[in-house]
Amino acid sequence: MVLQHFKDRWVYFTMLDWLRNRYLQAINSIAFYPFIISTLFIGMSMVIILIGTKPADEWLKGVLPIFEESNVEAARTLLSVLITGMFTLTVFSFSMVMVVLSQAANNYSPKVLDGLLKDKRPQFILGFYIGGLLFCLPLLLNLTDAGEDASISVTGIFMALTCAIIDLFLFIRFIHYISSSIKPAQISRSIYKRTFERWKERHSEYLSEVEYLEEPEECKENLGNELAKHSGYYQGVDEKRLLDLCQKYDITVSVSPQIGDYVLKGTPLFGTTRLQHSDGDILEKLHEAFFFYNIEDIENNLFYGYRQLTEVAAKALSPGINDIGTAHICIDFLIDLLSLFAQQPLPYGLKDEQGKLRILYNPINLHDLFELCLDEIRLCGRSDKNIMDTLIHGCILLLKQNNRKPQMKKEIQNFARKLHNDLKSGRYLDDTTYLLNQYNSHLAPLL
C-alpha cells in the first residue's frame, strides 16, 4: 500500500513536470500564436457559413453598391485571387523568417534564435496571413451555382477583401521588422532588455513576510544529501511552497545547484535537517518544489541573458566574423547588467517570520559573472585595442557607480590585474602605450 502511494506520487510529479515542459515548448514555439489566430479565423468562417449573414448582406449592398450585382462566378474569381495572393505572401514571409534565423545563428550565436522566436510581432503577422487564407477557403468551397446567388455571403466576401488589404500593410510592416531585427545592435538590445525586465520582475516576486539573507550564513545543523530523481536544468524553487514545508516539518533545506546548472539524476540536489530517508512522503513534497526544464530561457533563468551576450560578443570577435562593433555593444550591456546585479544581488537564503533559517541557496555571485562573462570576452578580444579599451572603460564606470560595494571593487581589482598583465606582457598587442596610459591615468587611481 505504501509502495503504491509513492508510485502514484512519482507518476503525478513526472506528469506535472512533463506538462510544464510541454507548455513552455508550446508558448515558445513560432507556431503558437499563428495556430490560435488561424483557429479563430476558421471559426468565423464556419459561423458565417452555418448561421448566414442575410441582414448584414442587405446592409452592405445598400452601403456599397458594388456588391449589388454580385454573383457566384465573380465571388469565386475574387476569392481565388485573394487566396493566391495571401498564399504567396505567406510563403515569402516564412522564407524571409528562415533566412533571418539562419543568418542570426551563423553570425552571432544559435542561442539568439530564442529571442527572435519569442518575439510576438512576427507571430501575429504570420498568424494573420494564415488566418486570412484559411478564412477564404471555406467560403470558396461553399460557393455553389444552385439557386443563383443564394450561397453568396456578401459579408464573408467583404471580410475576405478586408483581410487581403490588411495583409498588404502587414507585409510592409513585416519587411521593416525583418530588416531591423538582424541588426547586431537590435539583437543585443533585445537580449539586454529581456534580461533587465526579468531582473525587475524577480524582485517584485520576493516574499514580503520573510527575511532574505544578503550574506552567506552557515547552518549549525548537519545536512544530509538528497539526490535528484531525474536530470534537467535547475531553474529555481517555489519559495512559498518550500518555506511552508520547512515551517510545517521544522526543517532547514540547503539547495546544492546554482540556477541554470544541469543536474544529473542521482547527484546531490538538496540537503535537509532532521529528516531520514524513511520520511519518503516529506521528501517527495520537497522534490516537487524544485523546478526543472529541458530548455533554457531568460524568463526562467535570467543569467541565460548574461551568457547570451557573452556568446554573441565572443562570436563577433572570432576571425570569421570580426565584428568589433557588436562586441563593443555587448560589453556595454554586460557592464550595465553587472552594475544592476551589484545593487540587487541574489539572496543566500531566507528566514521565516520568527527569524529561523529555513532555506539556504547556492547563488550565482559577482565572481562567477566576472569569470564567465567579462573574462571570457577578455580572452577572445585581448588582441584588439578597441575591445581592451572598452573593458578598461567599463571597469572605470563600475567603480564610479559602485565604489562603496566591497565585492564589486574586489572583483574589478582582480579583473583589472588581468588586463594589466595582458598589456604589460606585449604578447597580444604590438603597441599598448595608449591603453597603459588609460589604465594608469583613469583606472588605477580608482583601485
Side-chain angles (χ1 to χ4, degrees), residues 69-81:
E69 302 299 329
S70 58
N71 55 69
V72 173
E73 190 60 32
R76 183 180 290 114
T77 302
L78 178 60
L79 287 175
S80 299
V81 171

Side-chain angles (χ1 to χ4, degrees), residues 306-372:
Y306 287 77
R307 297 210 310 269
Q308 277 190 323
L309 287 172
T310 303
E311 291 177 10
V312 171
K315 185 67 176 290
L317 292 172
S318 64
I321 305 298
N322 194 26
D323 187 356
I324 306 302
T326 298
H328 178 88
I329 293 171
C330 291
I331 294 172
D332 290 338
F333 286 147
L334 277 173
I335 294 297
D336 195 346
L337 292 174
L338 285 171
S339 175
L340 181 64
F341 182 90
Q343 297 171 29
Q344 302 173 343
L346 292 180
Y348 284 86
L350 67 158
K351 299 180 179 181
D352 59 16
E353 297 176 354
Q354 288 72 39
K356 188 170 184 179
L357 181 63
R358 290 304 183 185
I359 303 176
L360 279 172
Y361 293 121
N362 179 24
I364 295 174
N365 52 42
L366 271 175
H367 179 72
D368 298 328
L369 294 179
F370 267 87
E371 289 293 323
L372 299 177

Side-chain angles (χ1 to χ4, degrees), residues 2-212:
V2 175
L3 290 177
Q4 182 64 34
H5 172 71
F6 286 132
K7 183 178 179 181
D8 292 341
R9 289 190 63 85
W10 181 84
V11 170
Y12 168 77
F13 177 69
T14 304
M15 287 296 297
L16 188 65
D17 189 59
W18 183 86
L19 289 173
R20 186 184 296 118
N21 282 307
R22 298 291 86 76
Y23 169 75
L24 281 175
Q25 291 177 1
I27 63 175
N28 293 330
S29 171
I30 195 175
F32 180 66
Y33 282 102
F35 173 78
I36 294 177
I37 296 173
S38 300
T39 303
L40 293 176
F41 272 89
I42 293 176
M44 286 193 300
S45 181
M46 297 307 297
V47 167
I48 290 174
I49 292 173
L50 296 176
I51 297 180
T53 56
K54 287 186 177 181
D57 292 348
E58 295 298 328
W59 180 80
L60 275 175
K61 289 179 180 179
V63 174
L64 300 174
I66 191 175
F67 288 110
E68 290 182 357
E69 302 299 329
S70 58
N71 55 69
V72 173
E73 190 60 32
R76 183 180 290 114
T77 302
L78 178 60
L79 287 175
S80 299
V81 171
L82 295 180
I83 290 172
T84 303
M86 292 180 184
F87 184 78
T88 303
L89 287 180
T90 303
V91 172
F92 187 69
S93 299
F94 269 107
S95 300
M96 292 177 65
V97 170
M98 293 300 105
V99 170
V100 167
L101 295 180
S102 176
Q103 184 175 351
N106 292 332
N107 292 347
Y108 309 112
S109 168
K111 291 187 177 181
V112 303
L113 301 184
D114 178 64
L116 294 175
L117 291 175
K118 285 185 176 181
D119 197 327
K120 302 299 183 282
R121 287 171 293 179
Q123 293 185 27
F124 277 112
I125 293 174
L126 294 176
F128 202 91
Y129 284 167
I130 301 172
L133 179 63
L134 296 179
F135 176 81
C136 294
L137 282 173
L139 295 179
L140 178 62
L141 295 175
N142 189 59
L143 288 176
T144 59
D145 291 326
E148 296 292 329
D149 58 350
S151 63
I152 299 177
S153 172
V154 175
T155 303
I157 302 298
F158 176 76
M159 292 178 66
L161 186 60
T162 303
C163 286
I165 295 173
I166 295 175
D167 279 354
L168 292 175
F169 288 99
L170 289 178
F171 182 68
I172 298 173
R173 179 69 182 87
F174 188 78
I175 292 177
H176 172 74
Y177 165 78
I178 290 295
S179 60
S180 61
S181 64
I182 60 174
K183 294 179 181 178
Q186 183 64 28
I187 292 177
S188 303
R189 188 178 295 108
S190 175
I191 299 172
Y192 163 76
K193 183 179 179 182
R194 291 172 59 202
T195 308
F196 183 86
E197 290 176 349
R198 185 65 189 103
W199 257 118
K200 297 301 182 182
E201 292 174 2
R202 178 177 179 83
H203 283 269
S204 66
E205 295 170 358
Y206 282 173
L207 303 177
S208 59
E209 66 273 11
V210 300
E211 176 188 353
Y212 285 88

Side-chain angles (χ1 to χ4, degrees), residues 415-435:
F415 184 70
R417 191 178 301 115
K418 296 178 182 179
L419 291 175
H420 189 261
N421 291 337
D422 288 340
L423 297 177
K424 290 290 290 185
S425 67
R427 295 172 53 193
Y428 309 104
L429 284 170
D430 296 332
D431 182 10
T432 60
T433 305
Y434 172 79
L435 295 174

